[in-house]
């Protein structure tokens, strides 16, 4: 594995081994070529990068702290736990790192209209935020079921001036929002920029979103070295589409001593079939522009997923994760709804940080992993988002009316 | 000569454009599909495009999305669709059948298993809307060895350089998507179409079919004046929705629309309406 030049992937056609690629209708091929060209051009452009860095500092609030969760570490009696505080970013999650970058590209391309899909609403809010700041028209597609679960975020997007379209087709969740955003894009491709929120979709999105999110891992690596003089032993992050996880993992790929663990949503338990864990229990197929692990039936139809967290409720996953899984460079586990809820409460009461339900899946795995490690070892967990948006869901599950 | 080539050669001799109706297999119920295909042929269809239901039809508008949902209520899968093609072939050995759908059901079945079953069933072409030529090398090789034509799309946004590339990979006919959008969107602009098709003919000798946005006999006739084939989907599938589960009523209404389009297309060609488009 040491022979892999991680920077060389994806290849020119967007492949990570057998995964990734560009599986879209012909109408979008030209727009994707255009996007790839502009992204490659500006990624090496000092003026663009300076503008991006400025926005990340002044608007997002980067760098985000790497916080040593001493009380939780002590209680668990194992590895030292460090939390990369993406929840402290403007808009409350890692999503904005990417929307800032893509919006700057949209501006360079002269596009006047932004569209996006959203599950939990974090990516929708982050997109509506940058669209408001740049004065661009903004339409957010969100599954009807998710608009119900995430009402505070729907209102936030509307306050920011976005039109929120509740998608009523299919399972009325994130995958259907993505279908509808694709349909909008194919219709309005001349003036519209589609800001995909995760490391999935047709090339160049998985690579581009990864590159915008890799700031998480670059900062964490440097911060951890500075604080402890060494690299962490393990990285843990939740995986829906997988953007916060790849953002943390990618800058560490060549550091062979660093273990990487992605945590999928096990829902009611992988054995029940009611989950959102394609890497743990799916198989390779083609959906939403890329080849990757999917949850599908024997006829290749995509099957309904389940998770308490809207942001992880997706039947696919970014193609780079599919590849890292096959290579064994990262491993993927699942955590049930109940375990995630327990993680949510534990972090809140022990460290005074309310995590998003998505992030709570990573917390739950850390609770299991840390005691198996020594106190001179360390774990960096991506605290990808804050939990304010989930208070209704948590209260409802626990029979509390707010 | 493949069945598709044969059919286009005959039509060219008769100075007629092909009429290609699309129906979603299994809509409104699986037992209705083969009789419907025969009814469309009797009404004047030259080829049949049979839709493979998919849970996430990203390139389709609401009419075909709902058709997929109706078909999937019966669990209509790719193997069932191939069985329908085989059944159709028992009594019609002439009319080419092209499957239209998305790649994942084919991936799940496995390219080799799909191609060998498709050949036995008597399938003539495969159009997977989310499979551009760049990603299609493996499946195209297998299809060709089985005598099944890979059909590819060209869009209004396709650059000259890409047209060249698509044309090289395509067999049977080239499907020109006449508008930016999903199936069944708005009405198409026939005036820009003639010039675009003329441009495409510089790159390929294959017949040019036009689809997306052909809603009525008048538009079908205008397109037939400049294209080699007219593909009609949502305008027919919409009738299944109107007939709400009444398969016979749907088949009669679909046949009536096909007959009306057939007549309008043939008289456009014979009276030279081409000049007025």
């Amino acid at each position: 594995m040491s022979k892999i030049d991680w920077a060389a992937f994806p290849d020119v056609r967007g492949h990570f081994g057998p995964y990734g690629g560009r599986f879209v209708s012909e109408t979008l091929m030209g727009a994707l070529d255009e996007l790839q060209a502009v992204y490659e051009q500006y990624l090496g452009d000092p003026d663009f990068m300076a503008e991006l860095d400025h926005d990340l500092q002044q608007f997002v609030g980067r760098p985000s702290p790497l916080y040593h969760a001493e009380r939780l570490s002590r209680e668990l009696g194992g590895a030292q736990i460090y939390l990369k505080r993406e929840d402290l970013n403007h808009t409350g999650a890692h999503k904005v790192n990417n929307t800032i970058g893509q919006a700057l590209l949209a501006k360079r391309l002269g596009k006047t209209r932004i569209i996006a899909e959203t599950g939990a609403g974090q990516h929708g809010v982050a997109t509506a935020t940058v669209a408001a700041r740049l004065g661009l028209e903004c339409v957010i597609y969100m599954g009807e079921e998710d608009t119900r679960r995430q009402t505070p975020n729907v209102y936030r997007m509307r306050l920011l001036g976005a039109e929120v379209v509740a998608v009523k087709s299919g399972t009325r969740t994130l995958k259907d929002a993505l279908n509808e955003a694709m349909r909008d894009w194919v219709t309005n491709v001349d003036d519209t920029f589609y800001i995909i929120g995760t490391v999935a979709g047709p090339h160049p999105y998985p690579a581009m979103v990864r590159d915008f999110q890799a700031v998480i891992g670059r900062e964490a690596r440097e911060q951890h070295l500075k604080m402890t003089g060494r690299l962490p032993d393990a990285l843990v992050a939740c995986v829906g589409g997988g953007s916060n996880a790849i953002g943390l993992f990618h800058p560490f790929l060549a550091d062979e001593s660093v273990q990487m663990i992605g945590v999928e949503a096990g829902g009611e338990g992988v054995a029940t079939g009611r989950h959102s864990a394609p890497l743990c229990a799916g198989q390779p197929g083609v959906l939403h522009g890329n080849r990757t692990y999917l949850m599908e039936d024997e006829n290749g139809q995509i099957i309904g997923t389940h998770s308490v967290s809207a942001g992880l409720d997706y039947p696919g996953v970014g193609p780079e994760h599919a590849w890292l899984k096959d290579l064994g460079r990262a491993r993927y586990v699942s955590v049930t709804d109940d375990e995630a809820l327990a993680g949510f409460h534990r972090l809140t009461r022990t460290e005074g940080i309310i995590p998003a339900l998505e992030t709570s899946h990573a917390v739950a795995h850390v609770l299991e992993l840390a005691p198996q490690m020594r106190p001179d070892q360390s774990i960096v967990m991506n605290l990808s988002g804050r939990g304010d948006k989930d208070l209704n869901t948590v209260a409802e599950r626990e029979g509390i009316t707010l | 000569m493949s069945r598709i080539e044969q059919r286009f050669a005959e039509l060219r001799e008769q100075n007629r454009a092909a009429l290609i109706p699309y129906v979603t297999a299994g809509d409104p119920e699986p037992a209705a599909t083969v009789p419907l295909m025969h009814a469309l042929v009797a009404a004047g269809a030259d080829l049949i495009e049979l839709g493979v239901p998919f849970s996430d039809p990203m390139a389709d508008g609401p009419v075909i999305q709902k058709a997929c949902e109706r078909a999937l209520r019966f669990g209509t899968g790719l193997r069932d669709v191939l069985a329908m093609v085989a059944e159709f072939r028992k009594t019609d050995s002439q009319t080419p059948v092209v499957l239209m759908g998305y790649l994942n059901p084919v991936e799940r079945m496995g390219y080799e298993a799909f191609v060998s079953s498709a050949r036995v069933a008597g399938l003539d072409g495969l159009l997977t809307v989310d499979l551009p030529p760049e990603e299609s090398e493996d499946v195209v090789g297998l299809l060709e060895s089985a005598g099944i034509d890979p059909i590819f799309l060209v869009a209004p946004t396709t650059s000259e350089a890409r047209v060249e590339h698509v044309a090289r990979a395509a067999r049977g006919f080239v499907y020109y998507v006449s508008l930016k959008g999903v199936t069944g969107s708005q009405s198409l602009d026939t005036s820009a179409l003639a010039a675009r098709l003329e441009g495409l003919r510089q790159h390929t000798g294959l017949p040019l079919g036009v689809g997306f946005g052909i809603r009525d006999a008048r538009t079908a006739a205008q397109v037939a004046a400049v294209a080699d084939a007219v593909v009609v989907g949502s305008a027919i599938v919409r009738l299944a929705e109107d007939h709400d589960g009444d398969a016979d009523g749907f088949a009669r209404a679909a046949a009536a629309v096909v007959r009306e389009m057939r007549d309008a297309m043939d008289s456009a060609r014979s009276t030279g309406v081409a000049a007025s488009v």
Side-chain angles (χ1 to χ4, degrees):
Chain A
M1 194 178 299
S2 58
K3 289 183 201 72
I4 294 176
D5 173 11
W6 300 101
F9 289 90
D11 66 17
V12 287
R13 279 169 35 191
H15 294 121
F16 298 92
Y19 304 108
R22 193 180 273 179
F23 296 87
V24 295
S25 67
E26 180 59 31
T27 311
L28 294 176
M29 291 298 282
L32 290 168
D33 281 339
E34 179 187 58
L35 178 61
Q36 188 177 347
V38 78
Y39 148 72
E40 282 169 2
Q41 178 193 337
Y42 286 114
L43 212 66
D45 178 67
D47 290 344
F48 179 85
M49 294 311 288
E51 189 177 351
L52 179 62
D53 281 346
H54 174 270
D55 283 358
L56 289 175
Q57 281 178 34
Q58 301 298 318
F59 189 67
V60 175
R62 302 206 71 89
S64 65
L66 184 68
Y67 167 71
H68 185 191
E70 290 183 66
R71 184 159 179 244
L72 183 64
S73 305
R74 218 170 25 243
E75 275 190 13
L76 293 171
Q80 301 307 307
I81 298 161
Y82 291 84
L83 305 175
K84 182 59 175 161
R85 297 291 308 273
E86 294 298 301
D87 61 317
L88 294 178
N89 291 341
H90 180 42
T91 71
H94 72 290
K95 293 290 187 185
V96 71
N97 300 326
N98 166 52
T99 60
I100 286 266
Q102 289 199 51
L104 290 180
L105 289 177
K107 216 170 77 174
R108 295 288 196 287
L109 277 167
K111 305 285 183 184
T112 55
R113 182 172 176 271
I114 299 282
I115 59 170
E117 85 294 337
T118 197
Q122 289 306 99
H123 175 57
V125 167
T127 302
T129 298
V130 297
R133 180 167 174 256
L134 297 175
L136 299 168
E137 184 188 344
C138 181
V139 179
I140 305 292
Y141 291 94
M142 189 168 184
E144 193 188 40
E145 163 77 8
D146 294 337
T147 61
R148 193 189 57 75
R149 287 196 275 192
Q150 305 285 344
T151 42
N153 270 346
V154 173
Y155 187 55
R156 285 166 86 191
M157 289 184 270
R158 289 189 171 136
L159 284 173
L160 289 160
E163 179 189 347
V164 180
V165 179
V167 176
K168 296 185 174 66
S169 57
T171 55
R172 305 180 182 206
T173 57
L174 180 54
K175 84 174 173 75
D176 308 286
L178 226 150
N179 291 339
E180 212 51 43
M182 285 275 187
R183 289 176 187 128
D184 179 313
W185 197 29
V186 84
T187 307
N188 302 295
V189 62
D190 292 335
D191 69 349
T192 296
F193 191 103
Y194 181 13
I195 300 188
I196 292 185
T198 192
V199 286
H203 183 59
Y205 284 101
M208 180 174 67
V209 176
R210 174 198 72 196
D211 290 346
F212 287 134
Q213 291 294 0
V215 65
I216 301 170
R218 282 197 305 273
E219 286 177 5
R221 194 173 182 283
E222 198 178 303
Q223 289 164 324
H224 193 277
L225 280 170
K226 205 177 216 172
M227 291 165 80
T228 70
R230 57 190 292 279
L231 289 170
D233 299 280
L235 309 176
V236 177
C238 64
V239 176
S243 71
N244 92 76
I246 217 79
L248 177 64
F249 294 176
H250 198 262
F252 288 93
L253 283 172
D255 300 316
E256 285 175 51
S257 66
V258 180
Q259 280 188 62
M260 300 177 184
I261 303 135
V263 186
E264 294 194 301
E268 294 174 6
V270 165
T272 67
R274 287 188 39 81
H275 60 87
S276 305
L279 288 168
C280 293
Q283 58 173 334
V286 171
L287 180 71
H288 293 152
N290 59 164
R291 182 177 286 118
T292 186
Y293 279 82
L294 298 177
M295 291 183 45
E296 57 176 346
D297 69 12
E298 69 284 359
N299 287 320
Q301 309 295 349
I302 307 308
I303 55 179
T305 51
H306 169 80
S307 170
V308 66
S309 92
L312 301 182
D313 206 347
Y314 180 67
V317 62
E320 192 163 7
H321 286 295
W323 185 55
L324 293 177
K325 172 192 156 78
D326 285 8
L327 290 173
R329 179 63 189 95
R331 65 189 173 88
Y332 296 87
V333 299
S334 71
V335 152
T336 65
D337 289 348
D338 289 343
E339 289 166 334
L341 259 296
F344 173 92
H345 288 297
R346 182 78 182 264
L347 188 69
T348 302
R349 295 296 286 264
T350 311
E351 293 289 349
I353 298 170
I354 303 179
L357 282 176
E358 290 77 16
T359 311
S360 300
H361 288 72
V363 175
H365 186 68
V366 166
L367 297 181
E368 190 188 312
L369 180 67
Q372 301 168 24
M373 295 168 68
R374 297 187 313 267
D376 63 336
Q377 293 182 303
S378 68
I379 298 170
V380 171
M381 190 204 94
N382 197 355
L383 210 133
S384 55
R386 68 177 187 221
D388 310 45
K389 70 184 174 61
D390 295 314
L391 299 186
N392 285 333
T393 307
V394 174
E396 196 178 307
R397 264 182 91 91
E398 293 169 359
I400 297 161
T401 311
L402 294 183
Chain B
M1 194 181 270
S2 78
R3 222 172 342 234
I4 293 177
E5 283 177 276
Q6 176 78 38
R7 179 50 48 101
F8 276 103
E10 291 159 12
L11 288 164
R12 204 160 29 242
E13 252 171 48
Q14 301 160 9
N15 186 33
R16 296 166 85 205
L19 175 55
I20 310 181
Y22 164 99
V23 288
T24 302
D27 173 32
E29 59 187 36
T33 301
V34 173
L36 173 63
M37 291 165 75
H38 287 305
L40 295 172
V41 172
D46 299 298
L47 282 88
I48 301 281
E49 223 175 70
L50 193 58
V52 181
F54 186 49
S55 52
D56 295 79
M58 275 168 293
D60 286 297
V63 170
I64 292 175
Q65 288 173 45
K66 283 185 206 145
C68 286
E69 286 177 12
R70 287 191 294 269
L72 288 175
R73 277 206 285 269
F74 295 92
T76 311
L78 183 54
R79 284 186 178 79
D80 303 313
V81 180
L82 289 173
M84 292 172 189
V85 175
E87 180 68 25
F88 174 79
R89 274 281 163 264
K90 284 183 186 167
T91 48
D92 186 332
S93 60
Q94 303 296 315
T95 309
V97 178
V98 172
L99 292 193
M100 181 167 183
Y102 294 79
L103 185 60
N104 201 50
V106 181
E107 286 244 336
R108 178 64 199 242
M109 188 170 172
Y111 291 164
E112 288 183 19
F114 167 76
V115 168
S116 75
S117 302
R119 174 165 50 186
V120 172
L123 183 71
D124 301 290
L126 176 69
L127 198 182
T128 35
V129 292
D130 55 350
L131 181 67
E134 285 85 344
E135 300 283 357
S136 72
E137 281 155 30
D138 297 350
V139 73
V140 161
L142 288 168
L143 288 171
E144 288 192 333
S145 67
I148 298 170
D149 290 328
I151 316 285
F152 287 101
L153 303 171
V154 169
T157 52
T158 306
S159 66
E160 288 281 312
R162 278 194 59 78
V163 168
E164 192 73 38
H165 187 65
V166 175
R168 259 200 311 277
R171 301 286 181 273
F173 66 97
V174 170
Y175 187 134
Y176 181 63
V177 175
S178 57
L179 49 83
K180 292 169 204 156
V182 292
T183 53
S185 316
Q186 68 261 56
S187 297
L188 80 112
D189 172 9
T190 46
S191 59
L193 185 62
R196 178 70 192 198
L197 294 182
E198 213 39 62
L200 293 181
R201 290 192 201 280
Q202 310 296 314
H203 299 283
T204 180
L206 289 175
L208 301 179
V210 173
F212 285 41
I214 298 169
R215 297 192 144 180
D216 49 30
R218 188 171 153 270
T219 318
Q222 287 173 335
V223 173
V226 292
D228 302 302
V230 175
V231 187
V232 185
S234 298
I236 291 172
V237 174
R238 181 174 285 123
L239 301 169
E241 201 177 320
D242 295 347
H243 284 79
D244 192 27
D246 169 13
D248 292 338
F250 167 45
R252 277 194 299 276
V257 166
V258 166
R259 196 168 292 114
E260 192 192 347
M261 288 187 170
R262 169 88 273 160
D263 292 345
M265 286 165 58
D266 289 350
S267 66
R269 279 287 184 106
S270 64
T271 57
V273 171
S276 71
V277 172

